[in-house]
Amino acid sequence: MMLKLWKWYQNCLSFHPLKTQVISSGVLWGVGDIAAQYITHSNARKRLQLSDTDADFKVNWKRVAITSTFGFAFVGPVGHFWYEGLDKFIKLKLHLQPKSARFVAAKVAMDGLIFGPLDLLVFFTYMGFSTGKNSVQVKEDLKRDFLPALALEGGVWPIVQIANFRYVPVRYQLLYVNVFCLLDSAFLSWVEQQKDAAWKQWFTSFTSFKEGGGQGRL
């Protein structure tokens, strides 16, 4: 069964690469959001000590649709062209030998410095506006969520991408990323649902302290 599914995916990827990536991204991000909802629900139930009958898990399908749309509209198409273009740029413009240490390092650095922050910025901005928030509220959410997510993801994605760029053929690198995006979408949805959690406030207070310190020295 899995072998047939894999061959079917390979066929779709060969003939319809963009469409395949768009659809798979939307599906995986939707599944990831359901996972994030379940994790948040389970943590709340344990914290509040609610019984199973008082706290049945119910999927927020509106939120799933919103998150899945982000996968369809941004991650799929932008990710498709980004990874294809990144590989060509480093080969043709930087003239680095594929699979070499410098080649992999350049890819990881550009992915982490450009696509990673852009992905987070678009995600939190989109999630804010799609849930009816105004620009001021979205800006506050970005202050609360962006740095914590960037810091935590910055410790994981470089490791993921080193293996991707070193060992995975280019045509399957997008699939590899999308599989990890299942976990990533769950993580980002969880971060967004954490609101003003104490661990987020640490990042906010730390950056505020740095800004205050910098002003005091002027």
Side-chain angles (χ1 to χ4, degrees):
M1 178 63 182
M2 292 300 296
L3 183 59
K4 289 183 178 180
L5 183 62
W6 173 246
K7 289 183 177 179
W8 174 77
Y9 181 86
Q10 285 182 309
N11 185 64
C12 292
L13 193 62
S14 297
F15 290 98
H16 307 287
L18 178 58
K19 186 185 297 185
T20 300
Q21 289 304 127
V22 167
I23 294 174
S24 60
S25 294
V27 171
L28 288 173
W29 276 78
V31 173
D33 186 73
I34 294 175
Q37 290 185 37
Y38 181 77
I39 293 171
T40 302
H41 169 81
S42 298
N43 290 339
R45 188 175 65 181
K46 292 177 181 178
R47 186 174 66 253
L48 299 176
Q49 297 182 337
L50 300 175
S51 65
D52 292 340
T53 55
D54 293 332
D56 291 334
F57 174 63
K58 296 180 180 179
V59 177
N60 182 343
W61 290 109
K62 179 181 179 181
R63 182 184 170 85
V64 173
I66 291 172
T67 307
S68 183
T69 299
F70 176 75
F72 281 121
F74 180 80
V75 177
V78 175
H80 171 80
F81 290 111
W82 167 254
Y83 288 108
E84 292 286 342
L86 180 63
D87 189 75
K88 292 179 180 178
F89 174 80
I90 294 179
K91 284 181 181 178
L92 301 178
K93 299 295 183 179
L94 301 184
H95 305 291
L96 297 179
Q97 183 66 29
K99 306 299 182 182
S100 67
R102 292 181 62 191
F103 179 86
V104 173
K107 271 193 165 186
V108 172
M110 293 183 68
D111 187 70
L113 293 174
I114 300 175
F115 188 73
L118 176 64
D119 180 55
L120 290 177
L121 179 64
V122 174
F123 175 79
F124 289 124
T125 302
Y126 164 76
M127 291 300 292
F129 283 122
S130 64
T131 52
K133 296 180 179 179
N134 58 40
S135 58
V136 175
Q137 292 172 316
V138 170
K139 185 177 180 180
E140 289 301 313
D141 285 351
L142 280 172
K143 289 181 179 179
R144 181 193 68 195
D145 296 334
F146 181 79
L147 282 180
L150 185 64
L152 293 175
E153 289 210 335
V156 176
W157 270 105
I159 300 174
V160 172
Q161 294 293 50
I162 287 173
N164 186 22
F165 298 142
R166 178 64 180 85
Y167 299 108
V168 180
V170 175
R171 66 173 305 202
Y172 296 122
Q173 286 180 1
L174 296 174
L175 172 62
Y176 176 93
V177 169
N178 262 342
V179 170
F180 279 94
C181 276
L182 171 62
L183 303 175
D184 191 47
S185 60
F187 167 72
L188 290 180
S189 297
W190 175 79
V191 169
E192 200 275 337
Q193 291 180 64
Q194 289 298 293
K195 306 303 180 184
D196 292 312
W199 64 275
K200 285 187 180 180
Q201 295 177 11
W202 182 88
F203 282 93
T204 303
S205 62
F206 178 74
T207 54
S208 298
F209 173 78
K210 288 183 66 178
E211 290 175 359
Q215 291 171 356
R217 288 189 297 266
L218 292 178

